[in-house]
Amino acid sequence: MNRIAQLTFIAAFSLGSQQALAAALSVSEIEQKISTKQSEYDNYNSDLDAQIDLANILEKDLAELRQNVTLAEADRQSALIEMNIQYEKVIDDPELDITPVRSTYAKAVRTHKAIKDAITDKYNEWQAKLQDVEQMQVSKHSLLNTIEGLKEQYNSARVDRLYKEFNRKESVVVSHKISCDKNETLSKCTVRGKALAKQKASKRFLDSVFDGLSEAVEAEKRRQTSDASVQVLRSEVADSNFSGQGNYNVKMNLQLQGNLKRAVGCELLGLDKRYCVNFKGQEVTQLAAIPPTLVTDESVMYELTVRSNVFDDEVFINGVSYGSTKLQVMLPSGEHDVEIVKRGYDSSRQTISLTEPKTLKIELDRAQYTFSKGERIQDILAGDIPGPDLVVIPAGSFRMGDITGLGLDNERPVQTKDFKQSFGISETEINVKAFEIFVDATSYVTDAEKAKGCAFYEDGKAVWQSDRNWRSPGFIQTDESPVVCVSLNDAQAYVEWISKASSHAYKLPSESRWEYAARAGKETDYWWGEGVNTDNANCGWCGSQWSNVSTAPVGSFERNDFGLFDTVGNVWEWTTSEQNINNAVVRGGAWNFAPRLARASTRMELDSSFRSNYIGFRVVREQ
């Protein structure tokens, strides 16, 4: 097995295997797995750096060979000229020995050919090394996701262990003595004595339960604010008597059990509540729109016909929506307020006096937008096609990178970035329908459809399958799902098309623009706070119905404070790197990657031709 194959094998650990592992292994065993994988990851990083250095050396060697072949070609040409001169002299002097000149030329030809052959070999070696680096970069992040997935399983196993340890049963014998009050009947004193005995036994048992926990120190920190309790399953009096001094003595046999709910277990361990909740998809029922009721109680009615130069507009008559043009409606005689609106166009409004059947022909003009914070805009593309919904991100500055100290090496150092001008960015990732419109308009063929297909995450690494592409990524998707299985090249082709179709400058977001928009003024790991919590995003172990299953329809979760959807999870998004122009970077995490890899500053460097069913993109539009 070669070195690259060995390194790829290191990353082999599937999501399904991790889930099975959590059920089969103890906390300490999972802890050991994490330690082993972390060591492998550290070694993997060193090997990757070494491979990158080798690729750089090969590139440098290739450049030197290309310089040498230029010099060798000059030597060859010089030797050829000298040999031709000597051949001309042989005509006048047949006895002239030109063997040395011929030898010099032959040597120059051999040298030139040897360098050209060396260039070919070196180029092939360099390209092979670049492919190794590309595969290792993908495998590196897969291995990192494996580690983060194990950590998720580790925390779940910690809760399971706490739940089992706390909710144990135990038979307890307790003796208790109380002094009966002078005004207390013997019956009441007996009842009070038994109750206090139970309390005494429960308190001792609860203390012993907390003391016996594997994470007793951690749980004790939050004991006073938790709802952990003890349940008395059975109690019986073994012996009781009254002494001459009015004391009541009771001995009781009890069976007690810890009473800890899973949610309280998360509180005791200081864990996110997602480790203690079962998540089920919730069906959302949408009520059908109720059509407006037309006024029909007037004695005189006339037909009004409304037409406009655009489709998918909306006609309001006296403030009531009557749908889109071409519209024909019966209205009572008299004055009516008519307004036609369409996003991306200036609305038209007028008051008409209806005394006979009438036709309105309206010309809507494209709107001229001025960007302002939070404004939602949309360009109308050639052919009257609606472009992506955009949100305006205001000018400003922010700190970019691993602000909280929980990130990876490639998120450092933290840098301050300034934006002098506002810009528009699509409020969601580009969805399947929008990409289909682009493909239909241009007959574009994606990289996945040309060759090799699309990668998906299996056994801890990116596995290629030739029949997977943006139309068939390996799971069910709708028009509103984010388009996946697209390379950076495919995304660039989309923005080039939409720029021409809209007459505006579109591009992929730079890393800094993406992070600025994703953070929305926050310096926490997620735009809503420090912890991922539950059902805030679609990422692995993030508690949604799509987590570790598939992408979610765009806009399925709350917007951030700038008005953007899905800047955490769903799909990684292509951005252009500002650190290395030769690398592309994806940001934001995905439906099958751990929450720690969906933080605002997480970066994953990839080759621009890579495509998978967990990578998509969104677009930026200049002013």
Side-chain angles (χ1 to χ4, degrees), residues 379-558:
D379 291 323
I380 304 303
L381 311 182
D384 212 27
I385 298 170
D389 289 315
L390 305 170
V391 173
V392 175
I393 307 300
S397 64
F398 82 114
R399 291 202 297 159
M400 178 180 178
D402 180 25
I403 298 172
T404 63
L406 299 175
L408 308 174
D409 290 343
N410 66 356
E411 301 170 34
R412 306 182 187 105
V414 175
Q415 303 176 57
T416 298
K417 299 288 185 178
D418 296 303
F419 297 97
K420 303 299 184 184
Q421 292 184 319
S422 59
F423 58 91
I425 187 169
S426 53
E427 64 179 4
T428 69
E429 297 137 340
I430 298 302
N431 63 27
V432 172
K433 183 61 178 178
F435 196 78
E436 183 180 39
I437 291 172
F438 152 65
V439 170
D440 290 344
T442 61
S443 299
Y444 181 81
V445 179
T446 62
D447 285 345
E449 294 168 293
K450 292 175 184 175
K452 200 176 180 179
C454 171
F456 61 98
Y457 189 65
E458 184 178 74
D459 293 335
K461 60 181 181 292
V463 179
W464 293 87
Q465 188 162 320
S466 60
D467 61 350
R468 293 198 179 189
N469 53 58
W470 69 275
R471 300 180 190 273
S472 179
F475 48 76
I476 297 173
Q477 60 180 5
T478 69
D479 286 349
E480 295 303 312
S481 300
V483 66
V484 293
C485 288
V486 288
S487 66
L488 179 69
N489 306 325
D490 299 329
Q492 291 282 17
Y494 176 89
V495 297
E496 289 173 7
W497 166 76
I498 200 173
S499 294
K500 293 178 181 177
S502 66
S503 299
H504 289 287
Y506 279 82
K507 59 177 63 175
L508 293 177
S510 65
E511 281 200 82
S512 59
R513 274 183 165 178
W514 187 95
E515 188 171 327
Y516 177 55
R519 285 190 177 277
K522 303 295 179 61
E523 292 198 341
T524 50
D525 280 332
Y526 309 97
W527 64 261
W528 57 80
E530 290 295 353
V532 71
N533 298 323
T534 55
D535 210 22
N536 282 324
N538 180 24
C539 52
W541 306 276
C542 282
S544 81
Q545 59 184 296
W546 301 282
S547 294
N548 287 328
V549 176
S550 70
T551 60
V554 296
S556 294
F557 301 89
E558 293 294 323

Side-chain angles (χ1 to χ4, degrees), residues 162 166 210 218-219 222-223 226 228 260 264-270:
L162 179 71
F166 198 101
F210 269 97
E218 195 69 29
R222 304 171 182 86
R223 175 176 175 176
S226 75
L260 180 76
V264 179
C266 276
E267 293 176 11
L268 286 175
L269 296 178

Side-chain angles (χ1 to χ4, degrees), residues 1-10 51 132 135-136:
M1 184 183 293
N2 63 35
R3 181 58 176 160
I4 302 303
Q6 289 175 334
L7 291 171
T8 302
F9 178 76
I10 288 174
Q51 295 298 316
D132 290 345
Q135 179 60 44
M136 289 181 70

